[in-house]
Amino acid sequence: MILTHGVGGRQDLPLPLEYVIAGAVLALLVSFGLLVLTTRRAAAGKEIASTDPQSRNPRGWPLPRLGRVVDSPAWTALWRVVGMVILAYFVLVAFAGLDNANNPIFGMTYVWLWVGIVPFSLLFGPVWKAISPARTIVAGLTWLRGTGDPPLRLPERLGYWPAAFALLAFAWLELVYPENNYLGPVRLWLAVYLAVMILGGVLFGEKFLERTDPFEVYSSLIARLSVWGRTPAGRLVLRTPLGNLDTLRPTPGLVAVVSVLFGTIVYDSYRESPQWLQIVQNPEISGSTAYLINNVALIALPLLVAGFYSAGTMLTGVGDVPRRALPTELAPSMVPIIAGYVVAHYLSYFWESGLATLRNASDPMGTGADWFATADMPVSYFFAYHGTLLAVIKVAAVIVGHVLGVWSAHIRALQVLPKQHLVAGQVPLLVTMVGFTVGGLYLLFSA
């Protein structure tokens, strides 16, 4: 078996060309429809949901009873304990487990954590923030230190930049590093990550984890598309996904984070295409040269995404907002697109490798144990036998993500554009969003 993602090969079937064409045409039609609809409503002076440029805290439906449960110390402690139990299991399999593909640490890291963070955050909100072992350890150390502010203050201008580099570092481990299916590199990466998060959390406080923890930043961004929101006072409310997304404030480094997330998915898609394989598997190219090409591509594609996105959004600016501020202002519109591509690209991988990991988790030492009664559980290859269904879900995920992204981008663009440029000003942004969708469908087709 050719090992990819540090676990096992993805067996997604390529999309039929007619699905790609239909998806691209549908994305174009829906985009223009949304543009016309939102522009007319704005021109007529009607209220558009979640367009308050001052507060960006749209109302929701209060959930007082559920909020009391979720905000209770017992509920918080429960999920802290769950996170620490997971950490203890990680440590056990990392140091006492077998150094082969059957060790569940690979599936737990590359599948359950990296891919699973998207569906779990969409369903339940910022799940990593709730179970993060780093947060639990930092909270314990802070309690031992006593009351008072953290010793150091995190500079505001740093924003999400550390998280962007950490996300790129994890993508490099998963997608490029040739020994990503060995215990040593995975163990080292996770140990360094945990140590940095704990040290930074103790020195700078919880804000350090909010801005630099790659998994928490990723989870919290995707959670903006869930129905669970908070008021400025911290009360739990039920909101529409776009209403929640509009509460995301522009922050330095946000463009870098969404570009890394989207660009690494693009790289992961294209590196499995025949065109790319012909380059890196050319007999005239040495292994070190192919490795260098992969490293350059992993860095270049997020930069290309950032450049294309920034150009499209800056060309949109004809109002009072400086053009250089527009990429960060409109960056939340990329979150639905990222979520859609994760579903489209990793669906069968998450299903099959996730079940295989659950099976391996019962016998991490290879002794024939069955800790969780899953050691004999068969792995379902449902999507491998239903190629048409898989293709439809893939295209639908990309289209839905694109539509939500376009709608979010239009809402924010209408806040910064003068009335006389409501249509013309949005054309570059529309071209950018459609370009991402058409390019993504092409990559899904070519993989």
Side-chain angles (χ1 to χ4, degrees):
M1 178 182 293
I2 299 176
L3 294 179
T4 57
H5 299 276
V7 180
R10 260 194 338 114
Q11 301 301 325
D12 287 0
L13 297 177
L15 293 176
L17 181 59
E18 58 268 23
Y19 282 100
V20 179
I21 296 174
V25 172
L26 180 60
L28 184 64
L29 293 176
V30 170
S31 299
F32 275 111
L34 288 175
L35 173 61
V36 172
L37 175 63
T38 55
T39 301
R40 286 180 176 176
R41 294 182 66 184
K46 295 182 179 180
E47 179 185 1
I48 300 177
S50 306
T51 58
D52 184 355
Q54 301 297 326
S55 66
R56 282 205 177 133
N57 283 299
R59 295 181 179 180
W61 293 270
L63 301 170
R65 294 183 179 179
L66 182 60
R68 284 193 292 270
V69 173
V70 172
D71 295 332
S72 67
W75 182 264
T76 302
L78 170 64
W79 293 108
R80 293 293 177 211
V81 170
V82 170
M84 293 305 293
V85 169
I86 295 174
L87 175 62
Y89 184 84
F90 257 88
V91 173
L92 175 66
V93 299
F95 290 93
L98 300 174
D99 194 358
N100 60 33
N102 290 326
N103 191 316
I105 193 174
F106 300 111
M108 292 175 68
T109 302
Y110 297 130
V111 184
W112 288 3
L113 174 58
W114 185 241
V115 181
I117 209 169
V118 172
F120 288 128
S121 299
L122 286 173
L123 291 174
F124 305 113
V127 291
W128 187 251
K129 187 175 183 178
I131 68 172
S132 169
R135 272 190 171 268
T136 303
I137 295 172
V138 168
L141 294 175
T142 302
W143 177 79
L144 290 174
R145 185 186 63 198
T147 58
D149 295 331
L152 300 176
R153 183 179 179 182
L154 193 69
E156 284 293 332
R157 65 180 180 274
L158 201 60
Y160 289 121
W161 281 102
F165 286 108
L167 287 165
L168 186 62
F170 184 86
W172 172 81
L173 172 69
E174 182 198 12
L175 302 175
V176 175
Y177 187 59
E179 297 185 359
N180 58 9
N181 57 326
Y182 289 94
L183 261 181
V186 176
R187 189 166 51 201
L188 177 61
W189 198 101
L190 294 176
V192 171
Y193 152 77
L194 189 61
V196 171
M197 292 303 110
I198 293 173
L199 179 61
V202 171
L203 294 177
F204 296 98
E206 289 188 357
K207 193 170 186 179
F208 179 87
L209 299 173
E210 292 176 358
R211 296 293 178 85
T212 65
D213 186 335
F215 305 122
E216 181 168 329
V217 169
Y218 192 10
S219 174
S220 297
L221 280 180
I222 298 298
R224 297 285 182 167
L225 287 174
S226 72
V227 297
W228 312 108
R230 294 280 181 175
T231 65
R235 296 186 180 90
L236 184 68
V237 294
L238 198 68
R239 286 200 189 107
T240 63
L242 287 185
N244 248 349
L245 185 62
D246 204 49
T247 64
L248 182 59
R249 299 181 181 276
T251 306
L254 184 57
V255 173
V257 168
V258 296
S259 298
V260 167
L261 290 173
F262 188 73
T264 52
I265 296 174
V266 171
Y267 168 78
D268 194 16
S269 295
Y270 193 62
R271 76 191 184 107
E272 296 172 347
S273 66
Q275 299 92 329
W276 184 256
L277 292 177
Q278 287 177 2
I279 296 174
V280 297
Q281 294 182 1
N282 189 324
E284 298 180 358
I285 295 180
S286 65
S288 58
T289 302
Y291 179 57
L292 177 61
I293 292 174
N294 280 306
N295 278 276
V296 171
L298 182 68
I299 297 173
L301 284 172
L303 290 176
L304 183 63
V305 169
F308 183 65
Y309 166 79
S310 296
T313 52
M314 291 175 72
L315 288 173
T316 300
V318 290
D320 297 329
V321 178
R323 290 182 186 272
R324 64 180 180 274
L326 284 174
T328 303
E329 183 75 24
L330 299 171
S333 61
M334 289 290 291
V335 177
I337 297 177
I338 292 169
Y341 282 121
V342 168
V343 174
H345 184 64
Y346 294 114
L347 177 59
S348 62
Y349 167 70
F350 180 66
W351 176 257
E352 296 169 8
S353 297
L355 290 176
T357 301
L358 181 60
R359 181 185 61 189
N360 294 336
S362 276
D363 186 20
M365 313 301 174
T367 60
D370 193 5
W371 293 2
F372 309 116
T374 59
D376 297 325
M377 182 187 70
V379 175
S380 171
Y381 296 97
F382 173 81
F383 291 109
Y385 295 105
H386 296 82
T388 301
L389 175 62
L390 178 61
V392 170
I393 294 176
K394 281 168 162 282
V395 174
V398 173
I399 296 301
V400 171
H402 169 84
V403 170
L404 292 178
V406 167
W407 185 264
S408 173
H410 287 340
I411 288 176
R412 292 212 169 192
L414 293 176
Q415 297 172 13
V416 301
L417 294 177
K419 191 172 183 178
Q420 64 270 25
H421 294 294
L422 286 180
V423 175
Q426 292 187 72
V427 171
L429 181 61
L430 177 63
V431 172
T432 301
M433 305 298 276
V434 173
F436 281 139
T437 299
V438 174
L441 288 171
Y442 167 77
L443 291 173
L444 289 175
F445 171 73
S446 63

